[in-house]
Amino acid sequence: MFDKVLIANRGEIALRLHRACREMGIRTVAVHSTADSDAMHVRLADESVCIGPPPAVDSYLNIPAILAAAEITGSEGIHPGYGFLSENAEFAHIVEEHGYTFIGPSEQHIRIMGDKIQAKQTVGKLGIPVVPGSDGAVTDGEEARALAEEMGYPILIKAASGGGGRGMKLVRQGSEFSAALTAARTESKAAFNDDSVYLEKYLERPRHIEVQVIGDGTGKVVHLGERDCSLQRNNQKVLEEAPSPALNEEARQRIGQVVVEALSHINYTSLGTVEFLYEDGEFYFIEMNTRLQVEHPVTEAITGIDLVREQIRIAAGAPLSFSQEDIRFSGHAIECRVNAEHPTTFVPSPGQVVDFHAPGGLGVRVDSALYAGYRIPPNYDSLIAKLVVHGTTRNDCLMRLSRALGEFVVDGIDVNIPLHTEMIQQQDFIQGDYHIHWLEEFLGRQS
Ligand code: MV4
């Protein structure tokens, strides 16, 4: 096992990683920008190293500075968390090349899944259902248009280097196709220096359901059920829950088995999430995330498994400590992402937190790096806390969530807690009857 791990991240996830390390007897090294000298992750860690000025490109994305911090502290493993360098195959490569362990998937798996065309082809060959569309990149405009006509509109043009909703163009009729293809290519070239795009049949009102997996490098892969992440705005998830209210046990087992079978074939190692659109009882693969995700605590709540501990154990060469049959799903969990932003305008609201009180009690977990008096810097993500509530049934969970949101105090800045309070009182939400456009439609009706 590692003696010392460097945590290449900040905020709540840096605390989450520190906590797993501390419980495992691993010493931690925090890295931070000059904007984060007073941050909680720096206070908690055993050691800390300043790696640069506030802009992330100069600090949390600064690979030479992070490697220097690893060297001077004698760190053995480097955990990237989520965001920042977590899905950067080059970073994983450099870390390993310098003799450290990258606590995450192999460089090759990160690279394959980072190219959305390669990812889709790879998992499609392994038997995972994909969205009908072009077989790989489209090059010739005329051929692409002919394929679109054959598939039938609406069609979505996606960037190979995109993901997370960046670089997509919806085409509802043939007359719009050529202009949309040109725009998609141009924007993709500008954003990612890659103009490869592909076509997919556009699904109108699917749910976003993702399957959590973990593999140990011996070919053993298990799934930890799904999360329903359909409640989102501007491609930012707002609330996630597990299990999905839309799936029955048969559908859950079916997709879980397909994913496990496929990923064990490529000996997938570490944590991963396979994302699907789900419509009319069918799953359609869209992307795979090769990182620990923000919403991993809902899976921890219903399985009782510490995903970060398992991920660290696997990176250190240990086999999985459980098999598929050992996993028992218990109850229901919901995560609300608490953001420093106005609840109706969504304008970010950095600044000093005057008062902070996190809810507690049975079945309530709050992952946050906030404290009263802390000044939230304007340079980073607006996520300031994750409220994760567990109950024996979904209804139980909802009652507990309502209670916990009512206890939550964050004074001095705007937060989106009132949005969560409103959202969870809607009949559609209470009935579990929502899809990926539901929240934006709800917000449209409110204004
Ligand atoms: C789609 C789609 C409909 N049909 N693909 C957006 C983010 C990226 N991960 C994939 N996305 C979508 N792909 C087809 N063929 C609708 C979306 C989409 C979406 C997906 C998941 C969660 C939120 C979303 C919001 C808007 C659009």
Side-chain angles (χ1 to χ4, degrees):
M1 187 45 62
F2 306 112
D3 280 323
K4 198 186 271 192
V5 163
L6 183 144
I7 296 168
N9 214 301
R10 65 181 302 283
E12 68 86 18
I13 198 63
L15 263 66
R16 172 69 188 87
L17 303 177
H18 167 81
R19 286 169 174 154
C21 289
R22 180 54 66 84
E23 290 175 13
M24 297 171 81
I26 300 169
R27 286 176 295 163
T28 58
V29 176
V31 293
H32 66 92
S33 71
T34 53
D36 275 342
S37 303
D38 296 329
M40 198 63 185
H41 78 280
V42 175
R43 295 189 180 190
L44 279 187
D46 294 300
E47 293 169 73
S48 64
V49 180
C50 182
I51 52 167
V57 286
D58 301 317
S59 49
Y60 298 103
L61 294 171
N62 184 341
I63 296 175
I66 292 167
L67 287 174
E71 181 173 341
I72 62 175
T73 56
S75 299
E76 295 165 358
I78 299 183
H79 198 307
Y82 55 68
F84 295 128
L85 296 166
S86 60
E87 291 179 291
N88 184 323
E90 195 55 30
F91 179 61
H93 175 82
I94 294 170
V95 164
E96 295 276 332
E97 196 176 55
H98 284 75
Y100 306 105
T101 300
F102 179 78
I103 304 177
S106 73
E107 170 199 344
Q108 290 79 6
H109 286 147
I110 299 172
R111 192 164 277 126
I112 290 168
M113 300 305 172
D115 180 323
K116 306 303 158 190
I117 292 177
Q118 249 190 293
K120 193 177 173 184
Q121 285 177 335
T122 303
V123 307
K125 282 198 193 101
L126 294 168
I128 293 181
V130 300
V131 191
S134 59
D135 184 18
V138 295
T139 42
D140 182 80
E142 288 303 306
E143 271 175 44
R145 167 105 191 242
L147 176 61
E149 302 287 335
E150 195 185 315
M151 285 164 57
Y153 295 94
I155 292 277
L156 199 54
I157 306 176
K158 295 185 171 184
S161 296
R166 296 168 306 166
M168 302 197 314
K169 285 274 175 275
L170 175 58
V171 188
R172 292 221 170 254
Q173 53 189 43
S175 60
E176 301 165 354
F177 186 84
S178 293
L181 182 64
T182 305
R185 278 194 187 295
T186 310
E187 285 172 27
S188 178
K189 182 77 189 171
F192 318 112
N193 193 32
D194 174 12
D195 69 358
S196 351
V197 298
Y198 61 109
L199 308 187
E200 274 185 0
K201 182 78 190 161
Y202 178 67
L203 305 177
E204 295 279 359
R205 288 179 156 228
R207 299 179 78 111
H208 180 200
I209 293 178
E210 56 184 34
V211 178
Q212 176 71 60
V213 299
I214 186 165
D216 67 7
T218 69
K220 181 172 171 183
V221 174
V222 305
H223 76 84
L224 295 151
E226 82 284 0
R227 297 182 286 261
D228 196 317
C229 307
S230 302
L231 291 173
Q232 61 85 39
R233 179 189 164 271
N234 276 351
N235 290 301
Q236 294 285 343
K237 293 167 186 168
V238 174
L239 179 153
E240 304 96 339
E241 63 178 312
S244 169
L247 296 195
N248 57 30
E249 197 48 40
E250 186 277 322
R252 173 170 305 114
Q253 292 212 9
R254 173 164 50 93
I255 197 64
Q257 279 167 15
V258 167
V259 163
V260 161
E261 165 87 7
L263 294 180
S264 52
H265 259 99
I266 58 171
N267 191 19
Y268 187 79
T269 309
S270 191
L271 292 174
T273 303
V274 185
E275 295 190 343
F276 294 95
L277 297 178
Y278 182 73
E279 194 172 65
D280 301 329
E282 300 291 335
F283 289 95
Y284 303 93
F285 170 89
I286 46 171
E287 290 172 20
M288 178 165 182
N289 301 321
T290 53
R291 62 168 189 275
L292 174 71
Q293 290 199 248
V294 175
E295 60 271 24
H296 76 276
V298 298
T299 300
E300 296 186 320
I302 63 160
T303 62
I305 293 169
D306 183 332
L307 291 178
V308 178
R309 180 192 296 175
E310 289 300 325
Q311 187 186 33
I312 294 169
R313 288 183 67 255
I314 287 166
L320 267 172
S321 65
F322 50 82
S323 301
Q324 192 66 58
E325 311 77 66
D326 299 325
I327 294 157
R328 288 281 167 269
F329 297 103
S330 166
H332 199 93
I334 298 180
E335 169 178 280
C336 289
R337 296 194 185 195
V338 178
N339 294 333
E341 67 189 16
H342 191 277
T344 60
T345 65
F346 302 97
V347 173
S349 180
Q352 188 160 30
V353 177
V354 173
D355 201 5
F356 180 72
H357 175 81
L362 182 63
V364 177
R365 165 178 175 182
V366 176
D367 279 18
S368 176
L370 278 203
Y371 57 86
Y374 177 64
R375 186 174 289 280
I376 299 168
N379 313 83
Y380 314 107
D381 196 276
S382 67
L383 181 80
I384 54 166
K386 304 188 305 203
L387 169 60
V388 185
V389 170
H390 185 233
T392 47
T393 63
R394 187 168 186 271
N395 190 49
D396 229 43
C397 188
L398 288 180
M399 292 192 293
R400 188 162 279 161
L401 178 56
S402 172
R403 185 273 290 174
L405 284 168
E407 277 180 32
F408 217 138
V409 177
V410 186
D411 284 344
I413 56 163
D414 290 327
V415 291
N416 65 346
I417 292 172
L419 170 66
H420 285 294
T421 303
E422 268 302 304
M423 205 165 57
I424 68 168
Q425 292 181 58
Q426 301 305 306
Q427 268 313 305
D428 288 343
F429 178 72
I430 292 169
Q431 287 163 5
D433 182 14
Y434 57 82
H435 51 78
I436 61 172
H437 305 297
W438 186 89
L439 179 53
E440 282 164 8
E441 291 175 7
F442 167 68
L443 293 168
R445 289 193 295 271
Q446 297 292 98
S447 61

